[in-house]
């Protein structure tokens, strides 16, 4: 049974007929890395279907290929073979430029480290994706302010990243990912560097944004308590993706 068939079966059993449209689809993704000594195949055949508004956890032991998969799904890295469809459009059939534009408009990324630019204020950092998308500075700053407001940091707009706590930095990174109003959020261990309480706080903020903006999210996390609050969890194992078992969702990844 493929992942999408399994998801549909679950919907039917739950009495829902899977009305929600599919946002993201991966078909038979393969990714190999060639080094002088060997070829390492990290993803053997990955299928994935993510519906609109769905929040899905991505689990798997370290080094199994979670980050590689996230990068490919977001169009930042090429698969060796296979397809990624965003709203039915095959993203690797687009030119590099069109793919970058699509990513800028429709996909937000959050990483374990915040990756904010240290010399810019929180507000400017959040505005950067809009400026890249050629929005006027004034309009970009207005939108950035509203995104900072969404993560409860309107009073920190003028602070540089170095003047913010770890949790605040990560919230600025979330605001930056959300400012373009993406359909898809790809989060690679977004709370991995935070203490338990701050992690919960940042995670709840992502759940809240998901509710309010009807966003889809694929999130790598090693935190079983947080992962259990997502709609479902997938496990990447020996290059393929399958629903996580109960034991896997309880264990530290
Ligand atoms: N650019 C690369 N060249 C060669 N090997 C790579 C490259 N990127 C990742 N890998 C290898 O692919 C595997 C999966 O890495 P990664 O996706 O970062 O795993 P995870 O995020 O699950 O910890 C690892 O064995 C890693 O060493
Ligand atoms: Mg990783």
């Amino acid at each position: 049974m493929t992942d999408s068939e399994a998801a549909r079966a679950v919907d039917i059993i739950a009495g829902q007929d899977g009305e929600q449209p599919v946002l993201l689809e991966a078909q038979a993704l393969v990714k190999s890395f060639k080094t002088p000594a060997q070829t390492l195949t990290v993803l053997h055949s990955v299928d994935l279907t993510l519906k609109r508004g769905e929040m899905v956890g991505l689990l798997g032991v370290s080094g199994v290929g979670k980050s590689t998969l996230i990068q490919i799904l977001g169009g930042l890295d090429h698969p060796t073979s296979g397809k990624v469809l965003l709203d039915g459009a095959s993203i690797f059939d687009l030119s590099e430029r069109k793919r970058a534009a699509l990513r800028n408009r429709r996909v937000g990324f959050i990483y374990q480290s915040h990756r904010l630019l240290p010399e810019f204020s929180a507000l400017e950092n959040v505005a950067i994706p809009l400026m890249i998308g050629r929005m006027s500075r004034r309009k970009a700053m207005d939108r950035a302010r509203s995104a900072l407001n969404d993560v409860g940091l309107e009073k920190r707009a003028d602070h540089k990243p170095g003047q913010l706590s770890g949790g605040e930095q990560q919230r600025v990174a979330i605001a930056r990912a959300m400012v373009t109003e993406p359909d898809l959020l790809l989060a690679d261990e977004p709370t991995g560097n935070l203490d338990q309480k701050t992690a919960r706080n940042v995670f709840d903020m992502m759940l809240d944004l998901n509710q309010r903006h009807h966003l889809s999210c694929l999130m790598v996390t090693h935190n079983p308590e947080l992962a259990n609050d997502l709609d479902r969890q997938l496990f990447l194992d020996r290059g393929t993706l399958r629903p996580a078992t109960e034991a896997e969702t309880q264990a530290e990844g």
Side-chain angles (χ1 to χ4, degrees):
M1 199 184 241
T2 68
D3 183 48
S4 74
E5 285 166 342
R8 175 140 177 83
V10 166
D11 280 340
I12 290 168
I13 293 163
Q16 298 159 354
D17 57 0
E19 289 281 331
Q20 271 176 336
V22 168
L23 176 70
L24 179 74
E25 207 172 346
Q27 297 173 347
L29 283 183
V30 176
K31 179 65 176 179
S32 302
F33 293 110
K34 279 197 176 58
T35 64
Q38 57 162 345
T39 299
L40 175 71
T41 300
V42 176
L43 305 177
H44 285 272
S45 182
V46 167
D47 294 295
L48 167 74
T49 304
L50 195 64
K51 288 187 212 155
R52 266 186 199 282
E54 227 186 355
M55 286 200 104
V56 175
L58 177 56
L59 313 178
V61 298
S62 176
V64 79
K66 302 179 297 297
S67 296
T68 302
L69 177 59
I70 290 273
Q71 298 287 102
I72 292 173
L73 293 175
L76 287 170
D77 194 3
H78 276 79
T80 305
S81 64
K83 275 183 186 283
V84 174
L85 309 175
L86 187 62
D87 258 346
S90 175
I91 67 170
F92 294 107
D93 290 336
L94 300 173
S95 67
E96 193 72 48
R97 236 185 82 190
K98 283 201 171 144
R99 188 164 50 254
L102 185 76
R103 192 165 59 229
N104 179 255
R105 272 188 294 115
R106 309 220 23 209
V107 186
F109 291 91
I110 307 175
Y111 301 94
Q112 182 167 4
S113 74
H114 54 74
R115 302 194 187 183
L116 299 173
L117 302 176
E119 65 275 33
F120 291 102
S121 70
L123 184 68
E124 288 165 331
N125 266 285
V126 174
I128 286 170
L130 299 176
M131 312 271 268
I132 291 172
R134 296 175 175 271
M135 188 179 280
S136 74
R137 186 180 166 86
R138 195 172 153 189
K139 206 167 157 195
M141 290 302 165
D142 280 352
R143 288 253 184 112
R145 206 170 285 281
S146 143
L148 273 182
N149 198 29
D150 265 356
V151 297
L153 285 181
E154 60 281 9
K155 296 215 171 81
R156 299 285 186 279
D158 300 328
H159 289 226
K160 301 261 168 73
Q163 301 168 320
L164 298 168
S165 72
E168 287 170 342
Q169 289 168 347
Q170 204 58 340
R171 278 152 67 189
V172 174
I174 291 173
R176 180 183 56 186
M178 295 292 302
V179 76
T180 55
E181 300 181 345
D183 305 288
L184 174 65
L185 190 60
L186 294 171
D188 196 350
E189 305 192 41
T191 63
N193 281 345
L194 306 174
D195 62 75
Q196 187 70 18
K197 188 162 163 257
T198 311
R200 181 82 236 180
N201 177 285
V202 166
F203 180 83
D204 285 345
M205 185 145 285
M206 292 173 69
L207 287 185
D208 179 55
L209 291 170
N210 161 259
Q211 291 287 315
R212 281 194 284 149
H213 299 277
H214 207 59
L215 175 84
S216 307
C217 176
L218 185 66
M219 186 189 303
V220 178
T221 178
H222 291 292
N223 186 326
E225 188 204 311
L226 302 184
N228 275 311
D229 285 350
L230 300 170
D231 295 323
R232 60 189 169 101
Q233 301 179 47
L234 298 171
F235 195 80
L236 184 59
D237 184 20
R238 283 163 288 179
T240 66
L241 208 51
R242 56 169 169 77
T245 64
E246 191 141 339
E248 286 158 355
T249 63
Q250 301 304 323
E252 275 282 344

